[in-house]
Amino acid sequence: MFVPFLLIVGIAYVTWSFVAMELNVRRASSMGIPIVRLPIDPLNIPWIIIEPYVWRVLDRIPVDWGTFGRYSRRGWHFYDKAGSHLRYGPAWALATPRDVYVYVADPTAIVDIFHRRGDFLRPSKIYKLLEVYGPCISTASWKDWPRHRKVLAAPFNENIMQFVWNESLNEAEQMVRSWLGSAESGISSVAGDTRTLSLNVLAATGFQRSYTSRSSNQQELGEADSYRNALQTVLDNAIFLMLVPPRILRLPFLPHSWRRIGKAAAAFKQHMAHMLETETSLHNRGKTGTGSLMTSFVRALDTSQQENAASKGIQGHVTKGLSVDEIFGNIFVINFAGHDTTANTLAFSILLLAADPDVQNWIGEELEGLTVDGSTEGWDYATLFPKMKRCQAVLPVGDPDPPEALAGSSPLAAKSMDFDKG
């Protein structure tokens, strides 16, 4: 009885998927651009979970899966690059049972889209998974986005950049010492080490305390260390936390590895609540605060509470500031968005520099001219960073494929050497 029931449900789901997809095809046809059908939406949560395992099996079958094989894979954009636009033209649509996704590569059309922001609204429903701890700027509606943007822009000023600069120097020196100490055995993972560097700087910025690396046999953990460790577990399992609520992961009958993630997620929220309480106390006493991201968020919370109290019962009042849940949600998304992007940029830059000794020497000339004895002591952000034109020029351009980029002449060198050496 159970097997026939599952069969009926499966047939009904497949039928619904194709009907919904065809309805979306009809919607998209009014645009007059090429349409590609995909019977499974890339944001379908069960598909996100099983997709790697499904393709591990399907790839063994000598069958051309066509557009399904091309567009149903996670991260297909990186493999496809401009292939779809060369095939279908400057604009084309991907119709799924859930929605219609339009891809545009025409400069004039893109400029027009950005100028008409009111007509092309951000599809915030797609990003709802990011609300692990609460609403955030990535999921804000068109009306609420400026409110989030105003609050989040405030803490990213020169004061916090000075702190980030100092922490980055400290972490980079630790990483270099570690690499020099492993000269014989070799560096196990450049990407892994840059992830550690990125995480430590993020943790230090959020907690406004320097993080010192510890060996595995040092068991004692301070408050800053446990914040960093909770943040690491949360970021390493961010996708899993988006799919499964943290409160579910703490259920006693679940596997230990799942409960560990749930406990880390709860611990990270407790640390955020503790930081919020500390900053609120300082704010209420008229003190400046620690200067962390939470300092600006507490000001936004105070504004929100005052506005809500003053406008109670008033129809149509405009919300200002951020709520507690919005503060927690934005702290998570800032860390989530900044961790991998920073780590990957650093790893890719280091690999490209390793492949181009000439560029290394070019940067070295600049640093030798700006510093004394190659020591980082006394390196001041406000004084040095604006002068580091060559360092700022050496960044990965576009989305190159590492193996191809490292073979032969590097595009980095060609891009960097165009700058004035003077």
Side-chain angles (χ1 to χ4, degrees), residues 241-260:
L241 286 168
M242 293 176 194
L243 301 176
V244 184
R247 66 179 183 278
I248 302 296
L249 293 174
R250 298 199 301 272
L251 294 176
F253 57 83
L254 291 177
H256 172 72
S257 59
W258 291 24
R259 284 185 281 117
R260 181 182 65 83

Side-chain angles (χ1 to χ4, degrees), residues 166-182 187 193-194 196-197 200-201 204 209-215 218 225 228 376:
N166 293 334
E167 286 304 310
S168 300
L169 284 177
N170 176 48
E171 291 296 330
E173 286 184 322
Q174 292 186 54
M175 185 175 72
V176 170
R177 283 198 297 269
S178 172
W179 286 357
L180 292 175
S182 60
I187 301 170
D193 289 341
T194 55
T196 300
L197 186 151
N200 289 350
V201 173
R209 296 183 189 176
S210 296
Y211 178 80
T212 303
S213 298
R214 297 176 183 269
S215 61
Q218 290 178 291
D225 296 308
R228 184 266 187 198
T376 59

Side-chain angles (χ1 to χ4, degrees), residues 193-203 338-340 342-343 346:
D193 289 341
T194 55
R195 280 180 66 83
T196 300
L197 186 151
S198 171
L199 176 70
N200 289 350
V201 173
L202 280 172
H339 183 217
D340 276 342
T342 303
L346 288 173

Side-chain angles (χ1 to χ4, degrees), residues 389-410:
K389 303 299 183 182
R390 298 183 186 181
C391 292
Q392 295 177 46
V394 180
L395 289 173
V397 180
D399 180 36
D401 189 25
E404 295 175 6
L406 294 178
S409 61
S410 168

Side-chain angles (χ1 to χ4, degrees), residues 124 127-141 144 147-148 152 234 241-242 245-247 265 268-269 272 297 322-334 336:
S124 56
Y127 302 98
K128 285 294 182 183
L129 288 174
L130 291 173
E131 294 185 350
V132 176
Y133 290 98
C136 60
I137 189 170
S138 298
T139 62
S141 65
D144 289 332
R147 175 170 59 89
H148 286 260
L152 265 65
V234 167
L241 286 168
M242 293 176 194
R247 66 179 183 278
F268 182 59
K269 186 171 185 177
M272 290 192 292
F297 289 155
L322 295 177
S323 67
V324 173
D325 286 341
E326 288 172 338
I327 288 173
F328 291 167
N330 279 305
I331 289 177
F332 167 74
V333 83
I334 287 171
F336 175 69

Side-chain angles (χ1 to χ4, degrees), residues 82-311:
S84 293
H85 285 291
L86 294 174
R87 190 178 298 109
Y88 302 118
W92 63 281
L94 186 66
T96 74
R98 176 176 178 170
D99 222 327
V100 177
Y101 303 91
V102 180
Y103 297 88
V104 180
D106 181 79
T108 304
I110 292 172
V111 170
D112 189 43
I113 289 171
F114 276 99
H115 284 168
R116 296 165 52 195
R117 294 178 182 177
D119 295 328
F120 296 91
L121 300 179
R122 181 184 181 89
S124 56
K125 65 179 181 180
I126 295 177
Y127 302 98
K128 285 294 182 183
L129 288 174
L130 291 173
E131 294 185 350
V132 176
Y133 290 98
C136 60
I137 189 170
S138 298
T139 62
S141 65
W142 174 253
K143 182 180 73 172
D144 289 332
W145 188 86
R147 175 170 59 89
H148 286 260
R149 168 71 171 77
K150 182 179 180 180
V151 175
L152 265 65
F156 293 99
N157 51 40
E158 293 302 296
N159 290 331
I160 202 168
M161 293 307 169
Q162 177 70 58
F163 182 84
V164 171
W165 168 273
N166 293 334
E167 286 304 310
S168 300
L169 284 177
N170 176 48
E171 291 296 330
E173 286 184 322
Q174 292 186 54
M175 185 175 72
V176 170
R177 283 198 297 269
S178 172
W179 286 357
L180 292 175
S182 60
E184 294 183 2
S185 59
I187 301 170
S188 59
S189 172
V190 173
D193 289 341
T194 55
R195 280 180 66 83
T196 300
L197 186 151
S198 171
L199 176 70
N200 289 350
V201 173
L202 280 172
T205 305
F207 210 78
Q208 206 64 194
R209 296 183 189 176
S210 296
Y211 178 80
T212 303
S213 298
R214 297 176 183 269
S215 61
S216 58
N217 59 355
Q218 290 178 291
Q219 298 296 327
E220 185 178 353
L221 293 176
E223 190 177 15
D225 296 308
S226 73
Y227 169 82
R228 184 266 187 198
N229 294 337
L231 176 61
Q232 179 179 21
T233 303
V234 167
L235 293 180
D236 286 346
N237 301 276
I239 302 299
F240 189 47
L241 286 168
M242 293 176 194
L243 301 176
V244 184
R247 66 179 183 278
I248 302 296
L249 293 174
R250 298 199 301 272
L251 294 176
F253 57 83
L254 291 177
H256 172 72
S257 59
W258 291 24
R259 284 185 281 117
R260 181 182 65 83
I261 297 170
K263 289 178 181 177
F268 182 59
K269 186 171 185 177
Q270 288 174 359
H271 283 296
M272 290 192 292
H274 175 69
M275 286 190 287
L276 178 63
E277 182 182 349
T278 301
E279 290 291 342
T280 301
S281 176
L282 292 171
H283 179 74
N284 291 339
R285 295 201 304 260
K287 304 239 178 127
T288 56
T290 62
S292 65
L293 297 178
M294 190 65 80
T295 304
S296 294
F297 289 155
V298 165
R299 297 193 191 104
L301 176 63
D302 184 58
T303 301
S304 176
Q305 291 173 341
Q306 290 181 12
E307 287 290 330
N308 289 338
S311 59

